[in-house]
Amino acid sequence: MRLLLHQQSLLQPEWIHVKEDLSQITKHVILLNKNLDATTDVENLVRRLQFLCYELRAQIGDGESLENKLRILNDFFFYQKNFLAVSATDTEDPPYQSLFLEKALLQKAGSSITITLIYNHLAQHIGLPLYFIDLDPKCFLKFVGDEQTIFIDLSRGGKFLSAEDLLENIRKRLKNEKLSVSKVCESLTPSQFLVNYLNSIKRHLLRSASLNELLIVQNSLLDLLPQNLSLLGERALLHYKLNLWKNSVSDLKRYFSFQPRERAPQELVRIYEEMIGHL
């Protein structure tokens, strides 16, 4: 537990300062993966990513248009390297290990959100701006060209879709004919993407009751969403269960400064009174 908690502290400072820097997302996810799984070989992971970038760059000619860069990247990623997004349904999350970059790079397969992250990392390295579009459980990327906007469906081998195609696809899946193009095609900021990635991991950890790893994820979520009282209350409960009572009391003092006790979950009130009586 001590090792995990120490590693988690290494993640926090830079996560806060560059959370809106698109080029830094991969770095954050690598650090998080290492904190959650001590067997992650960061040097090998980075080396694999760098080599993929090198191979892709070799196929990009001087003065290549953005549209051609996109087509070259798509062919390289899905047809030369044979990357695959692990299928997921609206009611079932992708396998836990498919959310980790190292596993995705080794197996050439990962969750939709992980494959999207790798694809976008390569795009950044060839000067191709793409934007995240999250339609949980699937993740898309958006390319805005001079003449057209293209949506890349990473779960279907990089299939190119128009806004109308994407909207029709989503309306059928959600059985909601009232969805608008602007709503469906809204881009995510880097921090919003990271929150979605963290929540994908969190759902698995909640089922397995992995408290140390949950605390790492919870701290990261609070770095990105510092005003979220629900997250703060959840972390206080995690600290309590891990016998980190001073941390829990500190969280709850902050929590109750914004949320009256009569409106707070009774479990939080109960553990706060219990801990205050013993500290």
Side-chain angles (χ1 to χ4, degrees):
M1 181 178 78
R2 290 178 182 175
L3 175 62
L4 284 171
L5 294 178
H6 172 68
Q7 287 176 333
Q8 189 276 335
S9 67
L10 299 178
L11 177 66
Q12 291 181 344
E14 291 185 82
W15 186 286
I16 297 170
H17 294 309
V18 292
K19 65 184 180 183
E20 295 301 346
D21 185 346
L22 193 63
S23 66
Q24 296 294 313
I25 288 183
T26 308
K27 175 183 176 182
H28 291 323
V29 171
I30 290 172
L31 288 172
L32 177 68
N33 287 181
K34 177 64 175 177
N35 289 347
L36 291 170
D37 182 357
T39 67
T40 300
D41 186 340
V42 173
E43 288 187 9
N44 183 55
L45 196 165
V46 171
R47 191 161 49 245
R48 284 178 177 273
L49 278 173
Q50 288 175 337
F51 191 68
L52 280 174
C53 290
Y54 172 79
E55 287 186 290
L56 177 60
R57 283 177 187 267
Q59 299 187 26
I60 305 294
D62 293 336
E64 204 79 68
S65 70
L66 292 178
E67 286 80 1
N68 282 342
K69 284 183 178 181
L70 176 60
R71 285 169 173 77
I72 292 169
L73 168 58
N74 216 51
D75 179 78
F76 173 81
F77 193 77
F78 288 107
Y79 298 99
Q80 296 180 38
K81 296 302 175 183
N82 298 309
F83 275 93
L84 175 70
V86 175
S87 61
T89 68
D90 294 333
T91 57
E92 182 179 323
D93 288 323
Y96 181 60
Q97 289 299 321
S98 73
L99 292 163
F100 286 75
L101 277 175
E102 185 175 34
K103 299 295 189 296
L105 288 168
L106 286 170
Q107 299 172 4
K108 301 291 181 67
S111 69
S112 176
I113 199 167
T114 311
I115 291 299
T116 300
L117 181 64
I118 298 171
Y119 189 103
N120 185 67
H121 179 81
L122 294 175
Q124 291 292 310
H125 278 264
I126 58 171
L128 178 63
L130 300 176
Y131 305 92
F132 294 112
I133 306 290
D134 185 58
L135 298 166
D136 190 36
K138 296 183 179 180
C139 199
F140 297 78
L141 285 167
K142 178 169 70 174
F143 166 76
V144 181
D146 292 333
E147 298 181 358
Q148 60 179 329
T149 297
I150 297 173
F151 295 88
I152 306 125
D153 187 347
L154 284 300
S155 66
R156 291 198 288 168
K159 183 178 177 62
F160 289 170
L161 303 172
S162 66
E164 291 72 22
D165 292 335
L166 180 61
L167 182 60
E168 182 180 358
N169 181 294
I170 300 305
R171 279 176 172 170
K172 286 181 180 178
R173 179 160 66 85
L174 300 181
K175 298 179 181 179
N176 184 347
E177 294 298 323
K178 296 181 180 180
L179 285 174
S180 65
V181 171
S182 60
K183 180 64 176 177
V184 167
C185 303
E186 184 178 348
S187 301
L188 296 181
T189 65
S191 61
Q192 287 172 326
F193 178 87
L194 287 169
V195 166
N196 288 358
Y197 178 77
L198 286 162
N199 279 326
S200 295
I201 292 176
K202 182 178 175 179
R203 286 194 292 270
H204 283 278
L205 296 176
L206 284 169
R207 286 196 291 270
S208 62
S210 304
L211 299 185
N212 290 312
E213 290 81 1
L214 264 173
L215 183 57
I216 292 170
V217 172
Q218 201 74 6
N219 281 334
S220 299
L221 283 168
L222 275 165
D223 285 342
L224 294 164
L225 301 169
Q227 306 304 318
N228 191 306
L229 285 183
S230 294
L231 291 175
L232 186 62
E234 289 172 5
R235 187 174 70 177
L237 188 57
L238 275 173
H239 279 143
Y240 171 80
K241 290 178 178 179
L242 287 165
N243 293 318
L244 300 170
W245 281 19
K246 288 185 178 180
N247 300 57
S248 183
V249 168
S250 176
D251 280 346
L252 287 173
K253 283 182 177 178
R254 181 181 163 202
Y255 180 92
F256 290 132
S257 70
F258 294 100
Q259 180 77 293
R261 292 197 197 185
E262 59 270 18
R263 294 174 55 190
Q266 287 304 301
E267 186 175 24
L268 295 183
V269 176
R270 178 186 62 79
I271 65 170
Y272 180 70
E273 292 175 349
E274 176 189 347
M275 291 184 291
I276 287 294
H278 287 83
L279 290 177

